[in-house]
C-alpha cells in the first residue's frame, strides 16, 4: 500500500475526516497543520499566539512557521512508515519545501489526492460545522448532528464552532484557497502525482474513492 500521501482540497472538503480514517487504516500518522497550529495556540506559546491571529481572520499562517512545524514532525520516527498530510502544503513555496525535505530523506511523495467539492457545498459544510474541543471529531448541525446537543458522541467533549468557521472568515478562506492553494493542482499534475476524487456524497464512498486513487499509484 502506498502511504506517503497528501490530501488536497478546499476548507470543508473533508480532508480532516478522510485523513483520520485512512491514516488509521494504514497505521501511519495524520499530519494536520491546522490541528498542530490550533494546539500551539491553545498552549499560548508565542508561535501559537502569532498563528492564531492569522487563523482567526481566515488568512494563512506564514510559510516559514508552518514549514518549520512540518519539518520537525516528519523527522519523528513514526513518519518513516509514511504519513497522510492534511492541510499542508497550501502554497507553492510549501510544496517546494516539502519536495526538498522528502528528497533529503529519499522518501518521495506517492500520491496527491484532490477532494473535489462545489463551492456551494463547502459553504454549507463550513458554516454548520461543530468540532469536539477534546478529540477533534467534526459534526454538522444538519447533516451529521451529535446524539446530544453540543456533546461529542465519542468522548463527551464540548462541541464548538471554530472562529474561522464564522461566515466572514469562511469567505476569506475560500478566496485564499483559490488564490494560493489551487495552483498546487497544476504543480502536482505536472509531476504525475495528482488524482481527483469527488468529495460529495456518503463518507464511505469518498473513502473508497481515495483508496482506489492511491492504489492507482502503482504501489503494492
Ligand atoms: P485547517 O484546519 O486545515 O482548515 O486550517 C485552519 C487554519 O490554520 C487555516 O485557515 C490557516 O490559517 C492555518 N493553516 C493550516 N495549515 C496551514 C498551512 N499549511 N499554511 C498556512 N496556514 C495554515
Amino acid at each position: 500500500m502506498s502511504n506517503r500521501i497528501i490530501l488536497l482540497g478546499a476548507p470543508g472538503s473533508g480532508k480532516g475526516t478522510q485523513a483520520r480514517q485512512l491514516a488509521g487504516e494504514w497505521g501511519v500518522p495524520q499530519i494536520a497543520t491546522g490541528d498542530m497550529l490550533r494546539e500551539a495556540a491553545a498552549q499560548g506559546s508565542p508561535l501559537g499566539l502569532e498563528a492564531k491571529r492569522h487563523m482567526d481572520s481566515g488568512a494563512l499562517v506564514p510559510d516559514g512557521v508552518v514549514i518549520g512545524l512540518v519539518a520537525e514532525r516528519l523527522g519523528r520516527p513514526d513518519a518513516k512508515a509514511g504519513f497522510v498530510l492534511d492541510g499542508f502544503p497550501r502554497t507553492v513555496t510549501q510544496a517546494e519545501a516539502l519536495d526538498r525535505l522528502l528528497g533529503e530523506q529519499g522518501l518521495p511523495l506517492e500520491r496527491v489526492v484532490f477532494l473535489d467539492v462545489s463551492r456551494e457545498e463547502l459553504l454549507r459544510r463550513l458554516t454548520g460545522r461543530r468540532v469536539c474541543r477534546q478529540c477533534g471529531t467534526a459534526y454538522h448541525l444538519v447533516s451529521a448532528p451529535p446524539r446530544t446537543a453540543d456533546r461529542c458522541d465519542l468522548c463527551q467533549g464540548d462541541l464548538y464552532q471554530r472562529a474561522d468557521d464564522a461566515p466572514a472568515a469562511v469567505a476569506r478562506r475560500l478566496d485564499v484557497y483559490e488564490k494560493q492553494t489551487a495552483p498546487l493542482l497544476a504543480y502536482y499534475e505536472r509531476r504525475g502525482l495528482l488524482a481527483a476524487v469527488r468529495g460529495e456524497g456518503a463518507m464511505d464512498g469518498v473513502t473508497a474513492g481515495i483508496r482506489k486513487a492511491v492504489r492507482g499509484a502503482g504501489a503494492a
Side-chain angles (χ1 to χ4, degrees), residues 9-12 15-16 32-38 51-63 65-67 70 86-91 94 126 129 162 164-165 169 173 176 181:
K15 297 186 300 293
T33 42
D35 289 349
M36 291 158 75
L37 291 165
R38 276 186 290 279
K52 186 171 178 355
R53 259 190 321 112
H54 298 284
M55 292 165 78
D56 284 355
S57 72
L60 293 186
V61 173
D63 284 334
V65 172
V66 186
I67 291 167
V70 171
D86 153 18
F88 182 93
R90 261 179 157 96
T91 64
Q94 293 179 15
L126 289 168
R129 177 160 70 177
R162 286 169 37 175
D164 60 351
D165 282 344
R173 286 162 71 204
V176 165
T181 308

Side-chain angles (χ1 to χ4, degrees), residues 18-181:
Q18 296 294 342
R20 180 183 303 239
Q21 168 69 28
L22 290 164
E25 272 179 41
W26 296 334
V28 299
Q30 170 194 7
I31 301 184
T33 42
D35 289 349
M36 291 158 75
L37 291 165
R38 276 186 290 279
E39 211 170 285
Q43 285 166 0
S45 66
L47 180 148
L49 294 178
E50 196 214 327
K52 186 171 178 355
R53 259 190 321 112
H54 298 284
M55 292 165 78
D56 284 355
S57 72
L60 293 186
V61 173
D63 284 334
V65 172
V66 186
I67 291 167
L69 282 178
V70 171
E72 190 276 329
R73 183 66 190 83
L74 285 174
R76 289 198 220 155
D78 62 344
K80 295 286 171 277
F83 48 77
V84 179
L85 276 170
D86 153 18
F88 182 93
R90 261 179 157 96
T91 64
V92 170
T93 302
Q94 293 179 15
E96 289 168 349
L98 180 65
D99 282 345
R100 275 196 302 279
L101 278 170
L102 296 176
E104 283 161 14
Q105 303 182 4
L107 297 171
L109 281 172
E110 286 160 321
R111 205 65 162 159
V112 178
V113 179
F114 167 54
L115 283 178
D116 193 4
V117 176
S118 70
R119 188 174 172 106
E120 194 187 11
E121 174 66 8
L122 294 172
L123 280 169
R124 189 194 71 79
R125 288 185 186 178
L126 289 168
T127 50
R129 177 160 70 177
R130 297 293 181 273
V131 181
C132 175
R133 212 177 273 289
Q134 223 158 277
C135 74
T137 298
Y139 295 84
H140 188 276
L141 290 180
V142 178
S143 53
R147 283 195 289 273
T148 308
D150 303 327
R151 286 267 157 251
C152 178
D153 292 351
L154 302 181
C155 76
Q156 308 304 310
D158 270 345
L159 302 188
Y160 77 111
Q161 181 176 41
R162 286 169 37 175
D164 60 351
D165 282 344
V170 163
R172 173 124 193 241
R173 286 162 71 204
L174 292 177
D175 288 345
V176 165
Y177 169 78
E178 284 303 330
K179 289 201 184 78
Q180 303 200 56
T181 308

